[in-house]
Amino acid sequence: MFKLTKYLKPFIASITIVIVLLFIQAISELSLPDYMSNIVNVGIQQGGIENSVPKIIRESELEKLSIFMNEDDYNFVKENYKIINKEYLSEKDLDKYLNKYPSLEKETLLEINTKDEDTLEKINSLLSKPELIVLGLESGEYNEKMNLPEGSDPFEILSMLPKENLNSMVESIDSQFDEMPESMLKQASVSFVKNEYNAIGMDTDKLQTNYIIIAGLKMLGIAFISMIAAVIVGLISSRIAAGLSKNLRRDVFEKVTSFSNAEFDKFSTASLITRSTNDIQQIQMLMVLLFRIVFYAPILGIGGILKVLKTDTNMTWVIGVGVILILVLVGTLFSLAMPKFKSVQKLVDKVNLVTRESLIGMLVIRAFSTEKYEEEKFDKANKDLTRTNLFVNRLMSSMMPAMMFIMNGLTILIVWVGSHQVDLGTMQVGDMMAFMQYAMQIIMSFLMISMISIMLPRASVSANRISEVLFTDLSIKNNGTKEFPKDKKGIVEYKNVSFKYPGAEDYVIKDISFTAKPGETTAIIGSTGSGKSTLINLMPRFYDVTKGSITLDGVDIKDVEQKKLRSKIGYVPQKGILFSGTIESNLKYGMENASDKDIEFASKISQATEFIETKPEKYNTEISQGGSNVSGGQKQRLSIARALVKKPEVYIFDDSFSALDFKTDSNLRKAIKENIKDATMIIVAQRISTIKDANQIIVLDEGKIVGKGTHKELLDSCEVYKQIALSQLSKEELMHE
């Protein structure tokens, strides 16, 4: 699977953008619980007041706080406030301040004069306890504990006490706050700030509303950024996956076109089709999910864990429980699904194979009335695939409810544990809600990775199958560098050629030697299975010789580029193959720039003109896929014409006249002899009448040459040839010849 990673190199820039956007999306997602926590803690519970530091405070009230602070702390706090007195303000500034702080009319106020976060945090810590004490004294809560007379001003009495007595009183009150976390102290002391704002004349309801609205708008903005990032990531990921699939399909097709027959024997056609379509589709789906989930899940999960560790809670163990449960669930499903995923693609191959065989052989199936048998064969392959897919899909469908059960169970557990901590005063409600969201994000990240881990085996199988095609070592190497000489045209020589199929023990042909010259016809004949087609398939390098060599114009065909070799050869296969298009496009297949005169001339020689001219659209007549709308003889004549249009130096006819009647066969050979005089002709045939005029006839028997010569010479010298001739012609006809 990792071999295919090189195909991602063209998309490095896009992948980098995706990763950056995923970080933006994750940071945005992880920020939302904090804002929600602030809305609950600050906006709702604290009335929009963020901490114990009053933005504005009466000078007299700060003096009360100073009673419970040491001198250095008090001086530090006071130096960060500026005095606002109506006597020293201009009329314009006075109006502005009076609108905000009406009590300025009666008394001097102090306004915070710093925005430094560290300074504000220190002031917050210094003021929280004194504010709680002052709040308690003003409400009368501590009067009894401090033995203060009822109805007296506690602050006036305390200010007159000796420092030692005052400190002992403060320490007794401070002991009540020892078990409270600092966050709870700060939240409780906010009540003092709220009371102070009310006393100054500020609209605390508006303050609360503004805080909630602003925090809500920030959440909407962050959510919008997250959404935009997610949309762009989805778009880019889809483009990367589609581009990768396009490149894979292109390279797979190019690789397949370079296969020799040996590679086609290794990979079935049905399997190659599945690998080029379904398997690449699996990789495309994985790529989309890879960038949108696999990269995103760790960022979200690790970020969630870091956020949880920063929260002031002790419920991290809850997340550990959830992760362990998910890993157990995924491990179980993975072990059950993995073997099935490996077999799915093979079963898809099987369905394709059965379907392709049935469609190609439909006429034979109908002729033998075996439709029922073929239906049962397809039904079996289809049911096997369906059964496996159902098993996998049921596992996948059971995974989501199980995951949701775990997540909902964790939510209940967090609420149960968190509510007790809220009741004890060790946790705020907003913190519990934020923790719950972080826990869900962490669990969701594991869930996403788990879902990918279920899909990964099938994609991995597909990737391996594609890699098998792309990285198959070709048995026929196309690394020739030699050029054909210009002074020779079409001299073909087989020198002690032997060949056996890959993996076979016995040679199909052995010690074959002959020379085919320009302007002459070399015919090859022999019984079925004697190696005739194999012998000529070595010439265009559909296979490579096992021993010996084949030369064209004195150059070993292995030493030249395949394209240059095949440009010199006009090959007509035993089975005529046409492509969808028109008659003209098929005839120009080997030479796109051929003129109308060339294709008409080739059609006339191949005896195809007689049926082309009867078509309403003549050369523009449509040809169906595989030439299914023309007869076998017409298909064969068009295949011959296609080779003639190319005007090669060597013609190879692999039993290409078998579908022609004797008259058409005779006329075609006569036309070729009269019009094509300089080319080398190599003909494989079964009919004696087709080859009897050849300059030399090679007789094969069990892969060996048992006769070589003209028709007359072989009748006298080769028993095998004579027997073939007698099976087709009478003794009188042979004697006459």
Side-chain angles (χ1 to χ4, degrees), residues 600-607 609 644 667-668 671-672 675-676:
E600 288 172 6
F601 182 67
S603 301
K604 186 177 179 181
I605 295 174
S606 67
Q607 310 302 303
T609 304
L644 294 171
N667 292 338
L668 192 154
I672 289 176
N675 294 283
I676 304 174

Side-chain angles (χ1 to χ4, degrees), residues 162-398:
K163 199 68 175 174
E164 293 78 9
N165 294 348
L166 180 61
N167 288 340
S168 63
M169 283 184 173
V170 172
E171 285 175 8
S172 66
I173 297 173
D174 278 352
S175 62
Q176 299 178 42
F177 306 137
D178 289 342
E179 294 182 2
M180 289 180 66
E182 189 173 358
S183 61
M184 296 299 294
L185 283 172
K186 292 173 182 176
Q187 185 182 25
S189 61
V190 162
S191 297
F192 170 86
V193 180
K194 188 175 183 180
N195 290 342
E196 181 63 11
Y197 286 171
N198 285 325
I200 292 171
M202 293 174 61
D203 188 347
T204 53
D205 290 337
K206 185 179 179 182
L207 180 69
Q208 181 179 30
T209 302
N210 288 343
Y211 182 90
I212 294 174
I213 289 173
I214 292 170
L217 290 174
K218 287 180 180 178
M219 288 184 73
L220 285 174
I222 291 170
F224 183 75
I225 292 170
S226 176
M227 181 194 73
I228 294 297
V231 170
I232 296 174
V233 165
L235 177 64
I236 297 176
S237 299
S238 298
R239 291 181 66 88
I240 293 171
L244 176 68
S245 298
K246 181 195 74 173
N247 294 342
L248 283 174
R249 277 192 294 270
R250 179 198 64 209
D251 286 3
V252 167
F253 186 79
E254 288 179 0
K255 185 73 173 186
V256 170
T257 57
S258 68
F259 278 0
S260 67
N261 287 358
E263 280 76 49
F264 281 113
D265 293 340
K266 178 182 176 182
F267 300 103
S268 69
T269 304
S271 179
L272 287 173
I273 291 171
T274 305
R275 292 169 198 245
S276 302
T277 53
N278 187 275
D279 284 319
I280 291 178
Q281 186 68 26
Q282 296 296 325
I283 298 297
Q284 182 172 343
M285 290 173 60
L286 178 67
M287 284 299 110
V288 173
L289 295 173
L290 181 71
F291 296 118
R292 295 180 64 182
I293 294 178
V294 175
F295 285 3
Y296 181 62
I299 298 172
L300 186 66
I302 293 170
I305 290 170
L306 293 175
K307 285 282 189 179
V308 163
L309 293 175
K310 288 182 179 179
T311 57
D312 202 9
T313 62
N314 56 358
M315 293 194 299
T316 311
W317 60 272
V318 175
I319 296 174
V321 170
V323 170
I324 291 171
L325 289 174
I326 285 178
L327 291 177
V328 170
L329 175 64
V330 171
T332 303
L333 294 176
F334 193 85
S335 61
L336 292 172
M338 184 70 173
K340 297 295 182 182
F341 274 122
K342 290 183 177 179
S343 62
V344 165
Q345 296 307 110
K346 292 181 180 178
L347 292 172
V348 173
D349 280 352
K350 181 68 175 175
V351 171
N352 281 348
L353 177 64
V354 173
T355 304
R356 190 170 181 274
E357 282 184 343
S358 299
L359 293 175
I360 291 173
M362 189 56 67
L363 293 178
V364 177
I365 292 168
R366 289 172 180 169
F368 286 89
S369 298
T370 55
E371 291 94 338
K372 191 68 178 175
Y373 170 75
E374 293 299 325
E375 287 172 8
E376 289 174 356
K377 188 163 72 171
F378 177 82
D379 196 43
K380 182 180 183 305
N382 192 27
K383 282 181 177 177
D384 288 343
L385 177 60
T386 303
R387 192 181 303 113
T388 306
N389 274 327
L390 279 174
F391 179 83
V392 171
N393 289 336
R394 282 167 182 162
L395 276 180
M396 291 290 290
S397 62
S398 66

Side-chain angles (χ1 to χ4, degrees), residues 696-731:
Q696 71 169 337
I697 300 171
I698 296 167
V699 185
L700 292 182
D701 186 39
E702 295 183 358
K704 297 180 181 179
I705 294 179
V706 294
K708 188 190 298 184
T710 62
H711 174 66
K712 290 182 179 180
E713 290 170 351
L714 291 171
L715 285 175
D716 295 331
S717 63
C718 182
E719 186 63 28
V720 173
Y721 185 80
K722 187 176 181 180
Q723 292 299 322
I724 295 172
L726 285 171
S727 68
Q728 298 179 24
L729 303 170
S730 65
K731 287 185 179 182

Side-chain angles (χ1 to χ4, degrees), residues 598-642:
D598 289 334
I599 63 174
E600 288 172 6
F601 182 67
S603 301
K604 186 177 179 181
I605 295 174
S606 67
Q607 310 302 303
T609 304
E610 62 183 63
F611 77 84
I612 293 174
E613 292 297 329
T614 63
K615 304 285 185 181
E617 298 182 20
K618 296 186 171 44
Y619 289 93
N620 290 321
T621 301
E622 288 292 326
I623 297 293
S624 301
Q625 182 181 358
S628 59
N629 61 336
V630 293
S631 68
Q634 292 171 343
K635 196 185 296 184
Q636 209 163 56
R637 279 178 277 176
L638 289 173
S639 296
I640 294 169
R642 180 173 59 198

Side-chain angles (χ1 to χ4, degrees), residues 573-579 586 589 626-627 635-636 638-639 642:
Q574 187 173 0
K575 180 183 177 182
I577 297 173
L578 299 179
F579 301 95
N586 272 276
Y589 193 74
K635 196 185 296 184
Q636 209 163 56
L638 289 173
S639 296
R642 180 173 59 198

Side-chain angles (χ1 to χ4, degrees), residues 48-112:
I49 299 168
E50 297 184 46
N51 51 45
S52 306
V53 182
K55 292 181 180 178
I56 191 81
I57 189 172
R58 290 172 293 173
E59 187 177 35
S60 58
E61 205 65 18
L62 185 60
E63 292 297 328
K64 292 179 184 178
L65 295 175
S66 68
I67 298 172
F68 308 102
M69 302 168 63
N70 62 50
E71 189 175 352
D72 291 337
D73 291 343
Y74 173 69
N75 290 333
F76 177 79
V77 170
K78 191 168 183 179
E79 71 184 17
N80 285 288
Y81 278 89
K82 67 178 180 179
I83 298 173
I84 304 174
N85 193 304
K86 68 176 184 178
E87 295 178 4
Y88 302 107
L89 291 172
S90 65
E91 187 175 343
K92 183 179 178 182
D93 289 339
L94 180 61
D95 290 339
K96 182 181 73 172
Y97 275 105
L98 284 173
N99 286 332
K100 291 171 65 178
Y101 315 125
S103 68
L104 181 60
E105 184 71 42
K106 301 176 183 177
E107 55 189 317
T108 301
L109 303 180
L110 299 173
E111 187 178 39
I112 194 73

Side-chain angles (χ1 to χ4, degrees), residues 397-492:
S397 62
S398 66
M399 179 180 175
M400 187 55 68
M403 290 289 187
M404 294 308 298
F405 178 79
I406 292 172
M407 290 177 69
N408 291 330
L410 283 176
T411 303
I412 294 170
L413 185 60
I414 291 169
V415 172
W416 175 265
V417 176
S419 60
H420 281 77
Q421 294 192 15
V422 170
D423 184 52
L424 293 171
T426 58
M427 180 190 289
Q428 297 185 60
V429 175
D431 291 339
M432 183 187 75
M433 294 174 69
F435 182 88
M436 190 185 303
Q437 282 196 289
Y438 286 132
M440 292 303 104
Q441 287 174 333
I442 295 167
I443 298 300
M444 187 59 70
S445 67
F446 277 91
L447 172 61
M448 290 189 289
I449 293 173
S450 302
M451 291 176 67
I452 288 295
S453 68
I454 293 293
M455 296 182 65
L456 190 62
R458 185 171 183 180
S460 176
V461 171
S462 294
N464 290 333
R465 284 160 55 86
I466 295 167
S467 296
E468 285 176 5
V469 176
L470 290 173
F471 300 102
T472 292
D473 191 22
L474 298 176
S475 58
I476 297 178
K477 307 293 184 182
N478 188 26
N479 50 9
T481 56
K482 290 187 177 180
E483 299 288 338
F484 288 112
K486 296 181 179 180
D487 57 335
K488 295 181 181 180
K489 297 290 182 181
I491 302 173
V492 177

